[in-house]
């Protein structure tokens, strides 16, 4: 018996419905394509990690050369090292571990650069201090002058875990700064305040997944149009050995201080420190602004373990779900990802759970001859806690760029607690070339924490950019500037050390320096080729005086005007040259030790706490004259600001106002807010205000 005949009206309705469905499907496909046509781009990186890895290139040197950066406990933080160590894992107040991944110079900071007094700097958590410096370096790496972001909707999202800094702070001059100095919210708020950023400023604590959650939320903010640029990352500096002592009671530390990620010999994690900041913006914006794209964030996801088998125990099913959610956000399948930078803490509990989740997701449905490659940076530098996720991202950005999967160290054999035959996943026990697939390289980064919050981020190799036709201008300027003569000298020396004997294009060097912040102390090196420019740079490094112009006759008038503090539009010099940004040393922060004293109340230097107060009565003239010098130095005008000029019209912005406030407070011993400065925007009115105070 045949089917009943379909009426023409019914057939028409069916065809109409089918066409509508096809149209809707195509619309949804278009939305997906559109969402990923404007992905999030990583355009700048700043970082500090163990082993002296103070840049993305430095971290790549660590992993590419298989370096182990674990070292002994620091001796500059007041830790009682003799009493701290004891081999008995159950002895209260001690740790059976004597090594970890520590940041050299974690106590040091260039307070003057950010207009912060010494007393306030000592009261600041070093995580705040390092985030300020690293955020500046990340923006420099992106080719963005931080001064240009003041008043913009730029966001700051950072991961942070309280480290008990300053609990015994007793120094003179720190009173009143302890609250802001140790508040977690200030980890992001301090960066936004210093740079004048007006987008969302969020500090996150999801434990060891914090910085990867920060990247996820930053991408959401960009895709929603809430921000146009976001600084995202995390920081951990261990102010006290408390983390070692507490983890020792749980027998959770590797006795030799090494993370043996996914290894048969895995016997605990290894605490470490680090700071990492990414500069993120929408891909379309990066192209429009001419920013180099280092990699793309294809997708990300965050979830929670819920009521798992323990408060601090990882949850395998939850990790599988977060991986699938991130792949769905990226519109990719598991087989589209080549390498995973795992959390890989080296614990007997966490590693097998994570490995099984990866086997159940990435290990399924992929060619047997192209297994997922698995590795962990923690084997090189230890577990950097709130900075762990962003550290993995920085590693993978470089690995995709160079086409190399670095080795995971300390693996005697793959863990016998993992059923490696359950899927196509292979541990990277040796360095290898990136899998050849015929498509862009892709990787993913995982992180989870004792909070139960899991994060997963999918990355993609930067799009190929057509090389522009190269042309060398008749003369190339290398412009240098710094806040102090000492910093200018350091800038010249560091630049010479980086370029002498290197194969850097002199036009690219000049173009990169062009996009750095401008300060009062300036110098210019001119030349027509690399040899002439390097010779000029050597001469400058030998006698680095502000206002110096070295070499060349072409562009000499412009160079002399710039070196004297004037404004010069250098962009036409590089027009049509095909110049591109290159990697150069960051600003040479003049870092001085800022750390609480131990063993009693210690006064700060006399110059800090006993600065002369503004004289009373007829002090307006005296204070006004001093203000003229300070304003001229801050704004680069060399004393040309008139008594009744609006200082904002001379270029005072949020960042320079912070420096001005710090100098005035040291000069007058008067507490001043930024609002006070902007409410009294002339030398005369500000002097009167200070006199009244």
């Amino acid at each position: 018996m045949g089917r009943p005949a379909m009426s023409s009206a019914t057939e028409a309705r069916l065809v109409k419905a089918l066409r509508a469905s096809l149209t809707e499907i195509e619309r949804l496909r278009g939305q997906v394509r559109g969402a990923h046509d404007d992905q999030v781009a990583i355009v700048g990186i700043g970082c500090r990690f163990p082993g002296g890895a103070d840049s993305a290139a430095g971290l790549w040197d660590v992993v590419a050369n298989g370096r182990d950066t674990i070292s002994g406990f620091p001796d500059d933080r007041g830790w009682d090292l003799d009493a701290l160590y004891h081999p008995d894992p159950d002895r209260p107040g001690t740790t059976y571990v004597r090594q970890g991944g520590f940041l050299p110079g974690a106590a040091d900071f260039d307070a003057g650069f950010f207009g912060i007094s010494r007393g306030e700097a000592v009261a600041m958590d070093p995580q705040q201090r390092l985030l300020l410096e690293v955020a500046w370096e990340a923006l420099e790496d992106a080719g963005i002058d931080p001064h240009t972001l003041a008043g913009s909707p730029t966001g700051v999202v950072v991961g942070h875990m309280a480290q008990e800094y300053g609990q015994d702070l007793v120094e003179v001059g720190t009173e009143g700064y302890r609250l802001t100095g140790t508040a977690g919210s200030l980890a992001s708020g301090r960066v936004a305040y210093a740079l004048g950023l007006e987008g969302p400023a969020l500090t996150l604590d999801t434990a060891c997944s914090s910085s990867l959650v920060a990247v996820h939320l930053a991408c959401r903010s960009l895709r929603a149009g809430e921000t146009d640029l976001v600084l995202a990352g995390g920081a951990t500096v261990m102010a006290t050995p408390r983390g070692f002592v507490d983890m020792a009671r749980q027998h959770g530390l590797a006795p030799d201080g090494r993370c043996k990620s996914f290894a048969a010999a895995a016997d605990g994690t290894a605490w470490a420190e680090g700071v990492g900041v990414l500069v993120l913006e929408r891909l379309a914006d990066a192209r429009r602004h001419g920013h180099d794209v280092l990699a793309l964030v294809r997708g990300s996801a965050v979830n929670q373990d819920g009521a798992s088998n323990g408060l601090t125990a990882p949850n395998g099913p939850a990790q599988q779900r977060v991986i699938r959610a991130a792949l769905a956000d990226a519109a990719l399948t598991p087989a589209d990802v080549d390498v995973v930078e795992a959390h890989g803490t080296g614990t007997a509990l966490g590693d097998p759970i994570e490995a099984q989740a990866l086997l159940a997701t990435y290990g399924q449905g992929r060619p047997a001859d192209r297994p997922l490659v698995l590795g962990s940076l923690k084997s090189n530098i230890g577990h950097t806690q709130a900075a762990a996720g962003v550290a993995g991202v920085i590693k993978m950005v470089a690995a995709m760029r160079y086409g190399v999967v670095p080795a995971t160290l300390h693996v005697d054999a793959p863990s016998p607690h993992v059923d490696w035959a359950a899927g196509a996943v292979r541990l990277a026990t040796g360095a290898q070339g990136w899998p050849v697939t015929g498509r862009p390289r892709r990787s993913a980064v995982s992180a989870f924490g004792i909070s139960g919050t899991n994060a997963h981020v999918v990355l993609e190799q930067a799009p190929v950019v057509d090389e522009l036709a190269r042309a060398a201008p008749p003369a190339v300027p290398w412009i240098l500037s710094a806040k102090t003569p000492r910093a200018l000298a350091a800038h010249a020396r560091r630049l010479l050390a980086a370029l002498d004997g290197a194969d850097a294009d002199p036009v690219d060097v000049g173009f990169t320096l062009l996009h750095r912040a401008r300060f009062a102390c300036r110098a210019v090196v001119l030349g027509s080729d690399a040899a002439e420019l390097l010779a000029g740079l050597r001469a400058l490094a030998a006698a680095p005086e502000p206002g110096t112009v070295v070499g060349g006759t072409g562009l000499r008038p412009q160079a002399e005007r710039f070196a004297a503090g004037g404004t010069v539009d250098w962009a036409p010099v590089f027009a049509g040259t095909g110049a591109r940004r290159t990697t150069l040393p960051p600003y040479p922060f003049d870092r001085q030790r800022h750390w609480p004293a131990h063993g009693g109340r210690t006064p700060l230097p006399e110059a800090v706490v006993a600065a002369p107060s503004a004289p009373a009565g007829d002090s307006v003239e005296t204070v006004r004259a001093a203000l003229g010098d300070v304003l001229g130095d801050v704004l680069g005008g060399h004393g040309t600001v008139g008594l009744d000029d609006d200082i904002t019209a001379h270029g005072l912005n949020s960042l320079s106002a912070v420096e001005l406030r710090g100098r005035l407070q040291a000069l007058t011993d008067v507490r001043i807010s930024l609002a006070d400065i902007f409410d009294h925007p002339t030398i005369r009115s500000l002097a009167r205000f200070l006199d009244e105070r």
Side-chain angles (χ1 to χ4, degrees), residues 208-209 261-262 341-345 354 375-376 378 383 388 446-449:
C208 300
S209 59
S261 307
F262 305 106
E341 170 66 19
H343 197 55
T345 56
E354 184 178 11
S376 178
K378 292 180 182 63
H383 187 350
S446 279
F448 54 83

Side-chain angles (χ1 to χ4, degrees), residues 42 212 215 278 388-398 445 457 459:
I42 301 172
L212 207 60
V215 173
L278 309 177
V390 72
V393 171
I394 296 170
K395 171 188 171 181
M396 284 294 99
V397 168
V445 181
V457 171
L459 306 172

Side-chain angles (χ1 to χ4, degrees), residues 20-194:
S21 297
L22 291 173
T23 300
E24 178 65 9
I25 290 171
E26 190 58 35
R27 183 186 70 81
L28 292 173
R29 284 178 175 169
Q31 282 185 348
V32 172
R33 284 196 300 270
H36 292 287
D37 282 345
D38 196 13
Q39 296 165 33
V40 172
I42 301 172
V43 298
I45 295 173
C47 66
R48 308 271 177 86
F49 288 107
D54 57 0
S55 66
L59 185 63
W60 177 247
D61 179 74
V62 166
V63 296
N65 291 294
R67 287 172 49 204
D68 178 338
T69 65
I70 301 302
S71 63
F73 282 0
D75 59 5
D76 62 350
R77 304 186 193 179
W79 298 5
D80 188 343
L81 302 183
D82 292 333
L84 183 59
Y85 172 76
H86 197 280
D88 181 356
D90 296 313
R91 187 183 181 92
T94 68
T95 173
Y96 56 88
V97 175
R98 289 190 278 194
Q99 293 188 306
F102 297 100
L103 290 179
D108 300 337
F109 177 54
D110 189 346
F113 182 88
F114 295 99
I116 296 171
S117 69
R118 177 173 173 81
E120 183 174 7
V122 171
M124 287 171 62
D125 188 322
Q127 295 170 139
Q128 289 186 28
R129 303 195 301 240
L130 291 178
L131 278 168
L132 280 173
E133 293 183 351
V134 173
W136 184 278
E137 292 169 352
L139 289 168
E140 281 193 331
D141 186 62
I144 298 172
D145 177 354
H147 291 114
T148 64
L149 298 178
S152 72
T154 299
V156 184
V157 190
V158 296
H160 168 278
M161 296 164 63
Q163 294 290 334
E164 301 180 306
Y165 178 80
Q167 288 192 348
D168 56 351
L169 194 62
V170 296
E171 278 84 349
V172 173
T174 60
E175 294 84 357
Y177 294 120
R178 295 171 191 167
L179 176 61
T180 54
T182 58
S185 59
L186 268 292
S188 58
R190 181 84 67 171
V191 174
Y193 174 75

Side-chain angles (χ1 to χ4, degrees), residues 261-640:
S261 307
F262 305 106
D267 54 359
T269 197
W271 287 146
E273 304 173 325
V275 184
V277 174
L278 309 177
V279 182
L280 305 173
E281 67 180 332
R282 290 180 290 272
L283 177 59
D285 290 340
R287 288 170 169 162
R288 185 171 67 256
H289 296 143
H291 297 154
D292 288 352
V293 176
L294 306 179
L296 300 177
V297 181
R298 275 293 299 257
S300 62
V302 169
N303 75 355
Q304 168 63 220
D305 285 346
S308 59
N309 61 338
L311 175 63
T312 62
N315 184 320
Q319 290 183 24
Q320 293 182 41
R321 289 193 296 272
V322 80
I323 290 169
R324 293 191 176 102
L327 288 170
D329 186 54
L332 297 173
T333 69
D336 293 325
V337 175
D338 313 309
V339 179
V340 165
E341 170 66 19
H343 197 55
T345 56
T347 62
L349 174 64
D351 281 5
I353 292 174
E354 184 178 11
Q356 295 295 355
L358 293 166
L359 285 159
T361 50
Y362 286 111
Q364 307 304 309
R366 60 190 307 128
D369 62 346
R370 192 166 53 80
L372 179 83
V373 184
L374 179 64
S376 178
L377 174 62
K378 292 180 182 63
S379 67
N380 300 93
I381 65 174
H383 187 350
T384 55
Q385 303 171 73
V390 72
V393 171
I394 296 170
K395 171 188 171 181
M396 284 294 99
V397 168
M400 291 189 296
R401 174 186 177 185
Y402 293 110
V404 174
V405 183
T408 296
L409 308 183
H410 314 305
V411 179
D412 55 339
S415 172
H417 305 296
V418 176
D419 182 7
W420 296 102
V425 174
R426 185 167 59 81
L427 192 56
T429 54
Q432 64 179 70
W434 199 275
V436 178
T437 62
R439 53 161 173 73
R441 296 167 184 150
R442 297 194 185 103
S443 61
V445 181
S446 279
F448 54 83
I450 59 172
S451 65
T453 300
N454 308 298
H456 197 73
V457 171
V458 181
L459 306 172
E460 184 172 289
Q461 180 184 13
V464 176
V465 177
D466 294 334
E467 286 289 334
L468 299 175
R470 305 286 295 190
V476 177
W478 286 359
I479 62 174
L480 290 74
S481 75
K483 286 199 171 187
T484 65
R486 177 171 168 171
L488 181 67
H491 188 10
R493 290 193 298 268
R494 291 177 66 178
L495 193 61
L496 179 62
L499 297 177
D500 202 2
D503 191 25
D505 188 301
V507 178
D508 290 347
V509 172
F511 181 75
T512 302
L513 292 171
L514 179 69
H515 293 86
R516 296 287 177 90
R518 311 290 172 82
F519 300 107
C521 297
R522 302 178 177 185
V524 181
V525 177
L526 296 172
S528 58
D529 57 29
E532 187 177 358
L533 286 158
L534 283 171
L537 187 59
R538 287 190 196 96
L540 178 64
E545 290 295 325
T548 300
V549 176
V550 182
T553 56
L555 302 176
R556 187 93 187 180
Q558 297 96 312
E560 290 176 346
R561 185 164 67 252
F562 176 83
T567 300
V568 175
D569 182 8
W570 295 104
V573 175
F574 297 92
T577 63
R580 298 190 55 138
R581 187 183 62 81
T582 190
T583 300
L584 295 177
Y587 184 89
F589 291 115
D590 187 6
R591 309 184 74 231
Q592 306 296 321
R593 178 176 172 80
H594 294 82
W595 200 266
H598 295 269
R601 183 178 177 85
T602 302
L604 295 176
E606 183 179 349
V608 177
V609 298
S613 298
D618 59 356
S619 63
V620 172
E621 293 299 326
T622 302
V623 177
R624 182 172 58 189
L627 285 172
D629 293 337
V630 172
L631 286 173
D633 190 21
V634 170
L635 301 181
H638 299 285
T640 61

